[in-house]
Amino acid sequence: QLTKSYPEAMDEWPQKGHDAARTMTSNDTLVGPPTAMRWIAGNAWTDEVSWSYMKMVSAGGRVFYKYNIKNSYGRNLTEEKILILARDAFNGLEIWRKYIPYDKSFKMDLPMVATKTKLYIPGVVLDATTGKEIGKSKGARALHKNGVYLLANGKPKLYDAETNELLWEYKKGCREGLIGEEHIYARLYDGSLVCLERETGKELWQAPGQGEIFSYRDGIIFTRQYKTKGDGLNHAYDAKDGKHLWTHAYPLPAHGGRPDIWFLHGLAWVHDADPKRKKYVGESWVGLNPRTGVKEKRVLMEYKVKHRCAPHRATVNYIMGGGMDFFDLKQQKVFSFHGVRNVCSFGYMPANGMIYSSTTLCMCFAQIRGASGVARDHIPSVKEMRARSAPDFIKGTAFLKKPSLKISEFDWPSYRNGPQRFGSTTHELPEQLKQAWISDLGAKISSPVAAAGLVVVSLVDQHQVVALNDDNGKERWRFQAGARVDSPPTLYQGRTYFGCRDGWLYCLSADNGELVWRRRIAPEDKRIVSRGQIESAWAVPGSVLIQDDTLYCAAGRHSEIDGGIFLCAINPKNGNVIWEQQVQRPNAFEQTAPSKIDNEANEILSSDGKTLYMHLHQFDCKTGERSSVTSNYMWGSPVGFTVDITNPPYGWKHEEQRQWKYKDTRGRHIAKGTSLSVQGNHVYGIYNDRGEIFRNRNKQAWRVKAAEGSRARAILVAGNTFYIASVNLNDNKTGQLYRLNCEDGTEKYQSVTLPVDPRHDGMAATKDKHAICSKDGKVVCLK
């Protein structure tokens, strides 16, 4: 077994303030404004609540997360508990997870401490490698240094970290404390500061103090306090005798600004706002002389996006805050990054040459969602990358064979039936629908497409595309791809096309699944770990778009990561590239106004025939250039079309942030809901938080209550009938297909019983058949 040595340029983040002096500063010199994704894990939306109490530390090549799972946001849990989750710091793979009963007496929202072998949480010590309980800890506010830990909430106590032996206890009570170089400093209940000898607990001095202790550095104790709601104060005290050195008052930045302070490059830095209170304008970093408090430097932030309600972190080279703003102390310049976002209340963590974040509910800008590790890396030019990763086109055995299957105008050949992703068809289905067959594929499946006598789905995590005969449900063919296929393929002129998370675009014969050709859309064959599997750094969404005999697809994750997103137009017959555009955030790392970040996340494309839509941005179909021409278009929520938002485990408090929206030419929503379908001039949808089904357009709007004891999972419109596939909440294993009259929302036909729990957006309809996919991997056909 080979063990790679830990680079000297890296550093860990083993406790809340990084160290026992709570400097909030890492010695990691590899951390910087990120350019590359190292790994992604977890869900797109947080399901570990209360998310505002999420904590994170790192030691021994692991990252430890703590989530409070509580009765909040409309949930009624039988048990409140704590989830402790350990991941490999370098690939994000889950090592272990442990649930602990929620114990209010230990205040489980308080921080953890990690070592190479142990994880200390309030009341419990866990084995860092296995998660097994190996001991008890004495309390919550623990600070560790050199084999001892200090409890500084109540009477200060020092314990041996290995034996839990009490070494000494101070006679007076305190609110918080920290461990300096050789001494312990605490703020007593009466507000005064005290210095104790670390070895014995002997009091060395006591002096008047103001504010709460924030950190210790180079013989100075820094405190902070709020003068008013929008103003902060910092104080400095000489650690030798407690003498007050100076006070600095300043206005705090908006949206959660804090009077924190960092001792870096010989100065004490604070983050202040414009005194005239112009929102987000005039913010700056101010460097104070640590002994006198005199302003020696000021670096203006031309436009800061937001402070974003979380504490800043620092390395020896940067102070980091906001969405991810990097104040470079050497260049005296601020860089801005929006590829991932900080976690509300916690922020993010610099360690191991990376920056770690976790899942969040917020949708402030286009971002990569989930737990992640991002890093600063050199990204070569596209020419360099493509030159070192040949070949990028491979012919299959069916390359010269002519396809035979024909697609009808009544088919549903692509995701949501067409480039606009409207989820509707003009023809009516039979009045009497009965189950024709059911096929169990035994794994997580995508939404279906149905055309040319086939029902086709992807087995997402198995890297497979499967075609079933639509008359009997028997498997027609199965194809093994190189990574996940996250959404269904597109059928066109007798062939099957899909993108894959290995960075390639595949073309198969729809007759038998034989490979016609495949082309690498990713600029090179670079891999990362994504939610437990190996994927390309530039994944391609499965559902590609085809219109006017041109195929459109995109490889990448975000316009600020790994060189951006590679948007391509392809000839579907031979796989030749018509054009390619590298979609990057203009002026990357420059500060921008909140409405002008102009970044992008890769998503299933949609189009009106002239304009391509990727998330909230548009491109000209003929050239790939950015376009300002828009029409009404569908937006599949901040997490995209394919992420299930119909049943959030944390309740409905943030329904507004998850909704699909049908937008007009100025980007304003015409209608919004948990899912939407568009037919002609009308928008149909579901509101799961309200339990409503609706048509919302002009004066011809209606709303009806969903059936009692059900929750809608998938919708589509066929002719003048609105179809809603719902799960029965009394068993969560069966469902109903409800059919409403599009004119007034009344029940048009009798509901159809479903033997499955329908999956999110999991329906497709042809002239005489209706395909429904379930959450547990089954395909049901009604006719």
Side-chain angles (χ1 to χ4, degrees):
Q1 181 179 353
L2 297 177
T3 301
K4 191 174 182 179
S5 60
Y6 192 82
E8 292 184 2
M10 289 184 182
D11 191 12
E12 298 174 331
W13 195 281
Q15 50 191 316
K16 178 183 177 181
H18 175 269
D19 48 66
R22 294 217 302 256
T23 62
M24 299 287 282
T25 304
S26 167
N27 294 314
D28 199 313
T29 59
L30 298 183
V31 169
T35 57
M37 179 64 64
R38 287 288 186 262
W39 57 262
I40 311 169
N43 297 321
W45 290 100
T46 179
D47 56 5
E48 276 54 275
V49 297
S50 165
W51 49 274
S52 63
Y53 292 111
M54 177 265 174
K55 306 296 179 186
M56 192 189 314
V57 292
S58 179
R62 306 176 190 91
V63 177
F64 303 95
Y65 306 78
K66 181 169 71 63
Y67 304 92
N68 290 6
I69 303 176
K70 301 177 65 178
N71 281 319
S72 54
Y73 305 150
R75 301 202 315 175
N76 293 309
L77 302 177
T78 57
E79 179 187 7
E80 294 188 338
K81 51 191 174 181
I82 305 297
L83 170 62
I84 307 295
L85 182 66
R87 296 190 183 278
D88 187 295
F90 297 97
N91 59 34
L93 292 176
E94 184 176 317
I95 302 172
W96 54 261
R97 64 171 56 203
K98 183 178 182 66
Y99 292 95
I100 299 172
Y102 189 85
D103 187 345
K104 293 181 180 178
S105 66
F106 277 120
K107 298 182 179 178
M108 294 299 288
D109 57 320
L110 294 170
M112 306 177 286
V113 177
T115 69
K116 286 181 170 56
T117 59
K118 296 179 181 180
L119 179 68
Y120 295 82
I121 63 174
V124 181
V125 182
L126 304 179
D127 186 303
T129 61
T130 65
K132 293 182 179 179
E133 187 173 325
I134 57 175
K136 301 291 183 181
S137 63
K138 296 294 183 180
R141 295 185 186 272
L143 294 162
H144 283 235
K145 183 174 182 179
N146 298 336
V148 298
Y149 67 90
L150 170 73
L151 299 185
N153 183 24
K155 292 183 179 180
K157 302 174 184 178
L158 195 73
Y159 289 88
D160 185 292
E162 289 296 322
T163 65
N164 259 346
E165 177 188 358
L166 177 64
L167 301 178
W168 53 257
E169 177 179 339
Y170 182 62
K171 58 186 177 180
K172 297 180 181 179
C174 73
R175 299 186 184 280
E176 66 270 327
L178 50 82
I179 305 176
E181 293 164 356
E182 296 298 331
H183 301 120
I184 288 171
Y185 305 95
R187 177 196 176 209
L188 301 180
Y189 286 142
D190 63 8
S192 60
L193 300 177
V194 65
C195 174
L196 308 176
E197 190 175 69
R198 194 179 71 172
E199 296 300 321
T200 65
K202 178 183 176 182
E203 182 181 308
L204 300 180
W205 55 257
Q206 183 174 335
Q210 299 182 66
E212 61 178 302
I213 287 183
F214 183 71
S215 65
Y216 165 89
R217 190 67 180 263
D218 290 3
I220 300 175
I221 303 165
F222 297 103
T223 69
R224 68 174 189 176
Q225 67 182 123
Y226 294 90
K227 181 180 179 181
T228 63
K229 184 177 180 180
D231 293 282
L233 289 173
N234 289 117
H235 306 275
Y237 298 86
D238 194 316
K240 292 181 179 179
D241 52 16
K243 178 184 177 182
H244 183 264
L245 299 176
W246 50 263
T247 297
H248 178 68
Y250 54 103
L252 297 173
H255 201 77
R258 307 180 184 206
D260 297 347
I261 190 165
W262 290 266
F263 192 117
L264 292 164
H265 294 207
L267 296 177
W269 293 92
V270 297
H271 188 187
D272 69 7
D274 177 64
K276 297 180 181 179
R277 307 293 184 188
K278 293 180 180 179
K279 194 173 183 181
Y280 310 134
V281 179
E283 294 185 12
S284 61
W285 284 99
V286 176
L288 310 174
N289 183 300
R291 302 298 302 185
T292 66
V294 173
K295 293 183 182 180
E296 295 193 0
K297 288 187 178 179
R298 182 173 183 266
V299 180
L300 180 67
M301 301 181 70
E302 295 177 1
Y303 208 116
K304 184 179 184 300
V305 178
K306 270 189 180 181
H307 188 280
R308 300 202 187 278
C309 63
H312 289 17
R313 305 287 194 273
T315 69
V316 292
N317 296 322
Y318 300 93
I319 303 177
M320 300 167 288
M324 275 197 190
D325 299 315
F326 293 76
F327 172 37
D328 187 323
L329 286 95
K330 292 182 180 178
Q331 297 187 49
Q332 301 287 288
K333 184 178 179 181
V334 180
F335 298 89
S336 178
F337 172 76
H338 298 90
V340 298
R341 217 212 91 132
N342 66 328
V343 184
C344 290
S345 185
F346 174 79
Y348 42 83
M349 179 180 71
N352 310 307
M354 285 181 267
I355 295 175
Y356 300 93
S357 189
S358 188
T359 46
T360 177
L361 292 173
C362 294
M363 54 161 289
C364 314
F365 46 79
Q367 61 196 266
I368 296 175
R369 295 186 174 273
S372 63
V374 291
R376 179 176 56 178
D377 200 1
H378 169 67
I379 305 299
S381 67
V382 178
K383 184 177 180 180
E384 288 179 274
M385 288 191 284
R386 293 215 179 274
R388 67 191 190 187
S389 293
D392 61 3
F393 185 79
I394 296 174
K395 294 180 180 180
T397 54
F399 187 76
L400 298 178
K401 297 179 182 179
K402 292 185 178 181
S404 61
L405 293 185
K406 303 295 182 182
I407 296 174
S408 162
E409 62 177 312
F410 301 108
D411 285 341
W412 190 287
S414 63
Y415 175 66
R416 310 206 90 239
N417 196 30
Q420 290 180 297
R421 313 300 186 189
F422 279 173
S424 64
T425 182
T426 56
H427 66 266
E428 292 280 355
L429 289 174
E431 178 180 340
Q432 299 297 324
L433 284 177
K434 295 182 180 181
Q435 180 178 320
W437 51 262
I438 184 168
S439 178
D440 188 354
L441 297 176
K444 177 184 176 181
I445 58 177
S446 69
S447 303
V449 293
L454 301 174
V455 176
V456 188
V457 298
S458 64
L459 274 64
V460 178
D461 295 326
Q462 277 63 41
H463 313 173
Q464 296 175 348
V465 174
V466 177
L468 308 174
N469 290 317
D470 72 356
D471 57 351
N472 57 22
K474 294 189 180 299
E475 186 174 314
R476 176 81 165 264
W477 53 259
R478 181 180 297 235
F479 181 84
Q480 185 75 44
R484 287 187 179 103
V485 182
D486 61 19
S487 45
T490 299
L491 275 61
Y492 179 73
Q493 294 185 352
R495 289 176 172 174
T496 302
Y497 300 87
F498 63 91
C500 182
R501 301 190 75 82
D502 62 0
W504 288 71
L505 168 67
Y506 290 77
C507 172
L508 312 179
S509 168
D511 300 78
N512 54 21
E514 192 175 0
L515 180 66
V516 178
W517 53 260
R518 63 187 177 105
R519 175 173 289 281
R520 193 183 69 246
I521 307 301
E524 67 171 325
D525 191 18
K526 174 185 174 182
R527 303 300 176 102
I528 66 170
V529 178
S530 175
R531 296 185 167 93
Q533 294 195 11
I534 300 298
E535 295 183 356
S536 170
W538 300 272
V540 182
S543 292
V544 298
L545 189 153
I546 302 178
Q547 64 182 7
D548 299 332
D549 207 29
T550 303
L551 182 151
Y552 301 92
C553 64
R557 299 177 187 271
H558 192 274
S559 58
E560 295 183 54
I561 290 288
D562 291 302
I565 302 168
F566 295 83
L567 178 64
C568 296
I570 304 288
N571 185 321
K573 294 184 176 64
N574 54 30
N576 291 340
V577 177
I578 300 171
W579 54 253
E580 178 185 46
Q581 290 290 346
Q582 186 178 7
V583 181
Q584 293 181 295
R585 176 187 164 196
N587 306 315
F589 294 128
E590 288 190 9
Q591 296 173 65
T592 48
S595 61
K596 298 179 181 179
I597 295 174
D598 205 20
N599 62 0
E600 191 53 275
N602 198 4
E603 164 63 326
I604 291 177
L605 302 171
S606 64
S607 176
D608 62 1
K610 295 182 179 180
T611 304
L612 282 174
Y613 295 92
M614 177 195 292
H615 207 246
L616 292 175
H617 285 69
Q618 56 264 8
F619 305 86
D620 185 274
C621 287
K622 292 184 178 180
T623 65
E625 298 287 345
R626 293 288 182 108
S627 173
S628 59
V629 179
T630 63
S631 62
N632 294 352
Y633 66 99
M634 185 79 79
W635 184 52
S637 87
V639 292
F641 286 106
T642 61
V643 175
D644 186 355
I645 62 172
T646 60
N647 184 28
Y650 42 81
W652 295 107
K653 181 178 176 67
H654 291 266
E655 168 75 358
E656 174 67 25
Q657 293 191 340
R658 299 186 309 271
Q659 289 174 340
W660 288 24
K661 294 180 180 179
Y662 183 54
K663 293 175 174 283
D664 64 16
T665 56
R666 287 182 286 181
R668 300 179 303 184
H669 71 265
I670 299 170
K672 58 184 178 180
T674 311
S675 186
L676 301 174
S677 290
V678 179
Q679 176 79 291
N681 293 324
H682 302 297
V683 185
Y684 302 83
I686 54 176
Y687 261 126
N688 271 354
D689 62 331
R690 301 177 186 174
E692 291 181 348
I693 301 167
F694 65 88
R695 180 171 85 172
N696 189 349
R697 179 67 172 170
N698 299 328
K699 297 180 180 180
Q700 301 175 16
W702 51 256
R703 292 173 184 266
V704 298
K705 282 291 184 181
E708 187 80 21
S710 70
R711 177 175 292 131
R713 299 275 202 219
I715 64 174
L716 64 79
V717 175
N720 197 39
T721 307
F722 185 13
Y723 291 81
I724 304 102
S726 299
V727 60
N728 293 326
L729 296 178
N730 61 337
D731 63 15
N732 289 311
K733 295 180 180 179
T734 61
Q736 295 285 327
L737 182 66
Y738 298 96
R739 297 177 287 177
L740 307 183
N741 191 315
C742 286
E743 295 300 325
D744 55 15
T746 59
E747 189 170 350
K748 187 173 184 179
Y749 307 119
Q750 185 177 359
S751 65
V752 180
T753 300
L754 301 175
V756 297
D757 175 2
R759 65 147 283 155
H760 162 66
D761 202 29
M763 291 199 292
T766 62
K767 184 177 183 180
D768 59 351
K769 296 183 179 67
H770 195 108
I772 302 172
C773 291
S774 75
K775 292 184 70 176
D776 62 353
K778 297 182 180 69
V779 183
V780 178
C781 181
L782 308 176
K783 66 177 181 179

